[in-house]
Amino acid sequence: MTEIRIDPKTSLHQSMMRTAKRSEVSFSSVFQSKLPTELLVLVLGDLSAKDVLSCCLVCKRFYETIKTSLLLKYHIALERTGVIDGPLSNLTTAERMKRLEDQEKAWLYLNPTRRDTILIPPRFSSFDLSGGILAGARSPDADADTGLTKTSTNGESDNGSSLPDDDNSCEMLGMRLPSVISGELEVNRWSRNVGFSVYGLTIDPSQDLAILLQTKGHPNEPFRVHIYSLSTFTPHPLASQSVFEHPCSTSVPQLSARCMENLVGVMLHSFDHDAATGSHQTVIIWDWKAGVMKACIESSKEGRSFDDFTFLTPDSIMLPVRKPSPATLDVYKLDTREVTRRSERLSRGNSPAAVRIASFHLPEMRNPLEVSVNPIACNTEPPAPNPHSASSTARRQPFYLNPASSLISFSFIVCHGHSMHVTTPVHERFTLLIQRQALIDRLEECTKSLNGRWVGNNWKTMNFPWLQWGPNISRFLTTTYISWACFLHGTKVILAPPDPKDRTKCRLAVLDFNPAVVAMEKLKRRNNALSSKGKNPEEMSDDMEEDPDQEEVEENGVMVKLVKESGVLKKGKVFSRDVYTELPYRQVTSTETFGFANVVIDEERIGGILVNETGDLTAVEIFTM
């Protein structure tokens, strides 16, 4: 076949180009004038909010359509606030838009729609808050002393209260808190005696799931994890087995549990007085629906010491490692492939697979003999609700948190001053906040050559120095205490800084890392600064933009601060060089003070924990936004 080439300089080529341009203009005009508005709205609705706003510049029709379409306004508002639409809700678009705007304003100025004080029954120890459900365990007798442990309100072990010898059972309680978004304004309670002592728990209302960790009555007993229904506190109907056991011949002074979709993970901290290391950590991952173990990661076999874990994706977990130095955040890939043939089962062997695919290094610290990293605690928001879930505990909300916008946090204590000249070392507390999706994108970029295949045991671990991955997607906070409670949800972090005038009281401070919230605050301050100087903000060009004021200002009864400059941790006692983190945020702090011992947060509310003189939980004050 003969190939015909046309010289670009010939008149024939130029004539063809003019014809193509006329056809393009004609098609564009027909598209704009003949396409029904309903279809145009659907087409624009598939774009990102940024692209939809850019389409306002295309033509007058696009501008008018975007300006007047409630559906497109709702689409833009969803992305701006970091949530996704809930298809099971019966509300109209106008009603969803109204509730979304009301909640956005309530979070911006800590102006709750309602406040409720939820009284907690006596002996209410371990608890979890997720999706508007507060669940916990209540022991039958808090005065008996048998040496068993419970979990206090700050998540640390407390050897004071325990269960009686003749009855190791406890009562599980659930409370559905008020929700302005879904229109449920009453507190609903339910309870059941489960017949065993509960050390800790974690819940996922979207799956009607409650993971109960049973307290060991004897060191030689196996460790047990119960898969229960959250709405009934009975074995979950979708679980192939309701109890998972793991042999453990030592006491278990500390436990933590996480869940994501069909996976449940538990970390055991075993303490052995006879062992040379003194402690041993094990992370076990089960598929609670299939009833099989997916991974078992032991610190002794890995040669690494870790304190906690979190799910990064449904097939990967992240472990903060503090020994050996330097401290890292290790990512393990889980083999979640289904076994369909006997040959596959034989080729994989009997041991569940988990491969360390990456290590993200934390900032370099001083000589390990002088600086040691004590417990590193992961704090992630509860599992993101499934918008299509119809479980008995999942509300039919009009919108849900978008998992892609969420953060992960790691809190740790650094101890320095260990030397022959210093007898009392100094402890400093840090919290590192990281964009979850940025980590996932980095991993996918480095493993895209696999095309979805299993990494295999011969995979060489990728190492990422701090300066390669950390500064642009993270923010270091220095805190006076480390909370193991749920202080993070989505892009929001709740803190309780002490009142400068009365250290026994605290204020509420919400740090929002949502880029859209930061951008709106920056634009508002820029316009206010220009207006105060008699300049018209609309007439200012980009090259004349003035940097907004970064100072804390009082607005609508709260203190508002925009932090967009790089945070710096100076080198010296802890770090060997200056540490910069650049993730910007907007902080709003209440002027009202409270007597809370701790604070928790979820997608719609803030909870203030109230305790008595002995540290027992007495009430939770709920601020519903």
Side-chain angles (χ1 to χ4, degrees):
M1 184 175 179
T2 304
E3 183 180 1
I4 301 177
R5 296 180 178 272
I6 301 177
D7 187 354
K9 297 182 180 180
T10 62
S11 58
L12 176 61
H13 178 270
Q14 295 174 359
S15 175
M16 292 174 62
M17 292 299 295
R18 286 193 296 270
T19 303
K21 290 181 179 179
R22 286 195 298 270
S23 300
E24 181 180 351
V25 173
S26 175
F27 174 77
S28 178
S29 301
V30 171
F31 179 81
Q32 296 178 25
S33 59
K34 302 298 182 181
L35 186 69
T37 301
E38 293 79 6
L39 291 180
L40 179 58
V41 169
L42 293 178
V43 171
L44 294 174
D46 284 336
L47 302 177
S48 66
K50 182 179 180 181
D51 291 337
V52 171
L53 294 175
S54 298
C55 287
C56 290
L57 305 176
V58 173
C59 62
K60 184 177 180 180
R61 188 189 179 201
F62 276 31
Y63 174 80
E64 293 295 337
T65 300
I66 296 171
K67 184 179 179 181
T68 57
S69 171
L70 181 61
L71 191 62
L72 291 178
K73 289 181 180 179
Y74 180 59
H75 171 66
I76 295 172
L78 287 174
E79 190 167 328
R80 183 182 69 239
T81 53
V83 296
I84 54 179
D85 188 47
L88 297 181
S89 175
N90 297 324
L91 298 180
T92 64
T93 302
E95 292 171 331
R96 299 182 190 208
M97 184 70 175
K98 178 68 167 56
R99 296 194 181 185
L100 182 60
E101 290 178 339
D102 290 344
Q103 189 189 59
E104 183 181 19
K105 293 177 182 178
W107 279 113
L108 285 176
Y109 299 107
L110 292 185
N111 185 22
T113 304
R114 58 179 292 161
R115 292 171 63 166
D116 300 271
T117 300
I118 310 297
L119 298 179
I120 304 299
R123 307 183 303 278
F124 192 83
S125 54
S126 303
F127 73 92
D128 193 15
L129 172 67
S130 177
I133 304 294
L134 180 67
R138 183 189 182 196
S139 60
D141 187 356
D143 297 326
D145 186 9
T146 61
L148 300 179
T149 62
K150 73 170 188 176
T151 302
S152 62
T153 55
N154 62 2
E156 298 174 344
S157 294
D158 180 6
N159 294 320
S161 301
S162 53
L163 300 172
D165 286 326
D166 57 346
D167 186 5
N168 285 337
S169 63
C170 78
E171 183 183 19
M172 294 301 303
L173 292 91
M175 285 173 278
R176 185 188 296 272
L177 303 177
S179 171
V180 175
I181 294 178
S182 62
E184 301 176 16
L185 304 180
E186 299 296 328
V187 179
N188 297 321
R189 302 171 184 255
W190 65 97
S191 63
R192 182 178 180 272
N193 193 310
V194 294
F196 54 86
S197 172
V198 176
Y199 178 93
L201 75 157
T202 187
I203 63 174
D204 181 3
S206 68
Q207 301 186 87
D208 190 28
L209 181 65
I211 311 298
L212 308 183
L213 310 179
Q214 182 175 341
T215 304
K216 291 186 60 174
H218 190 276
N220 293 327
E221 287 184 3
F223 173 72
R224 294 183 177 91
V225 179
H226 298 260
I227 311 299
Y228 270 38
S229 167
L230 178 59
S231 58
T232 61
F233 293 123
T234 57
H236 201 291
L238 299 181
S240 59
Q241 64 184 76
S242 61
V243 183
F244 292 99
E245 293 187 350
H246 184 75
C248 184
S249 60
T250 62
S251 61
V252 184
Q254 185 177 351
L255 302 170
S256 58
R258 305 275 191 270
C259 61
M260 179 175 278
E261 296 183 1
N262 61 317
L263 296 183
V264 170
V266 177
M267 173 171 282
L268 292 79
H269 292 257
S270 303
F271 186 80
D272 190 350
H273 293 281
D274 299 328
T277 57
S279 63
H280 176 75
Q281 301 89 34
T282 305
V283 177
I284 311 165
I285 309 294
W286 289 283
D287 185 327
W288 65 273
K289 292 183 179 179
V292 296
M293 182 187 293
K294 286 295 183 180
C296 181
I297 305 172
E298 299 180 75
S299 60
S300 57
K301 295 181 179 179
E302 295 291 318
R304 310 174 77 77
S305 178
F306 36 81
D307 300 287
D308 208 344
F309 79 101
T310 184
F311 281 100
L312 189 62
T313 65
D315 64 350
S316 64
I317 63 173
M318 178 170 277
L319 300 174
V321 176
R322 56 187 173 93
K323 292 180 181 179
S325 182
T328 60
L329 303 177
D330 288 357
V331 179
Y332 283 78
K333 188 80 169 178
L334 307 177
D335 189 357
T336 56
R337 298 172 296 169
E338 294 183 3
V339 179
T340 58
R341 296 190 300 270
R342 182 174 180 271
S343 59
E344 293 180 3
R345 186 179 293 107
L346 294 176
S347 64
R348 297 191 201 179
N350 296 324
S351 300
V355 177
R356 181 161 59 96
I357 62 173
S359 290
F360 293 89
H361 290 240
L362 294 178
E364 183 180 350
M365 298 184 186
R366 291 182 57 191
N367 191 322
L369 296 177
E370 300 177 358
V371 176
S372 63
V373 180
N374 288 336
I376 305 181
C378 304
N379 195 293
T380 59
E381 77 282 346
N386 180 2
H388 301 279
S389 172
S391 73
S392 55
T393 51
R395 286 187 167 108
R396 295 189 175 185
Q397 296 187 178
F399 38 81
Y400 297 86
L401 170 73
N402 186 354
S405 63
S406 63
L407 301 173
I408 303 177
S409 81
F410 300 92
S411 300
F412 55 95
I413 304 173
V414 175
C415 181
H416 60 84
H418 291 285
S419 69
M420 59 182 299
H421 305 292
V422 180
T423 57
T424 305
V426 179
H427 295 80
E428 296 192 39
R429 296 166 171 83
F430 301 92
T431 295
L432 176 62
L433 299 159
I434 307 171
Q435 290 179 330
R436 179 195 296 268
Q437 191 59 44
L439 289 177
I440 297 174
D441 293 343
R442 175 62 66 93
L443 290 173
E444 290 180 348
E445 180 182 351
C446 296
T447 58
K448 62 182 179 182
S449 60
L450 296 172
N451 293 322
R453 300 190 305 272
W454 171 241
V455 293
N457 294 326
N458 295 325
W459 176 267
K460 185 178 180 181
T461 303
M462 300 176 293
N463 286 278
F464 297 99
W466 166 256
L467 293 179
Q468 265 189 26
W469 73 273
N472 295 332
I473 64 169
S474 66
R475 171 69 69 166
F476 259 113
L477 302 176
T478 55
T479 57
T480 57
Y481 68 96
I482 290 182
S483 171
W484 273 262
C486 180
F487 68 90
L488 168 68
H489 191 90
T491 61
K492 295 182 178 68
V493 176
I494 179 71
L495 300 175
D499 181 30
K501 298 180 180 179
D502 184 359
R503 305 291 292 184
T504 63
K505 300 288 185 178
C506 69
R507 300 178 186 269
L508 295 180
V510 175
L511 284 60
D512 197 338
F513 290 81
N514 184 347
V517 172
V518 173
M520 288 190 298
E521 181 66 25
K522 179 181 177 181
L523 180 62
K524 182 182 68 175
R525 294 197 174 205
R526 169 185 172 271
N527 292 341
N528 291 341
L530 293 175
S531 298
S532 65
K533 297 178 180 179
K535 301 179 181 179
N536 186 356
E538 298 181 357
E539 297 178 356
M540 298 291 293
S541 60
D542 293 338
D543 58 344
M544 299 173 63
E545 182 177 350
E546 297 187 13
D547 193 41
D549 186 9
Q550 304 297 302
E551 295 182 356
E552 189 174 36
V553 297
E554 186 173 358
E555 186 177 353
N556 293 338
V558 293
M559 304 303 295
V560 181
K561 180 170 65 173
L562 177 64
V563 180
K564 72 179 189 64
E565 70 277 3
S566 298
V568 183
L569 297 178
K570 294 293 185 179
K571 67 177 183 179
K573 296 180 180 179
V574 176
F575 299 101
S576 60
R577 63 183 65 181
D578 291 348
V579 179
Y580 293 87
T581 50
E582 302 176 0
L583 201 60
Y585 62 91
R586 176 188 182 270
Q587 176 176 329
V588 53
T589 306
S590 68
T591 53
E592 183 181 358
T593 59
F594 307 91
F596 300 144
N598 213 333
V599 286
V600 294
I601 187 174
D602 71 358
E603 67 272 20
E604 193 182 350
R605 57 194 62 80
I606 295 172
I609 307 299
L610 296 170
V611 299
N612 57 20
E613 293 80 4
T614 60
D616 294 327
L617 180 64
T618 58
V620 180
E621 189 167 349
I622 300 296
F623 302 81
T624 306
M625 301 297 173

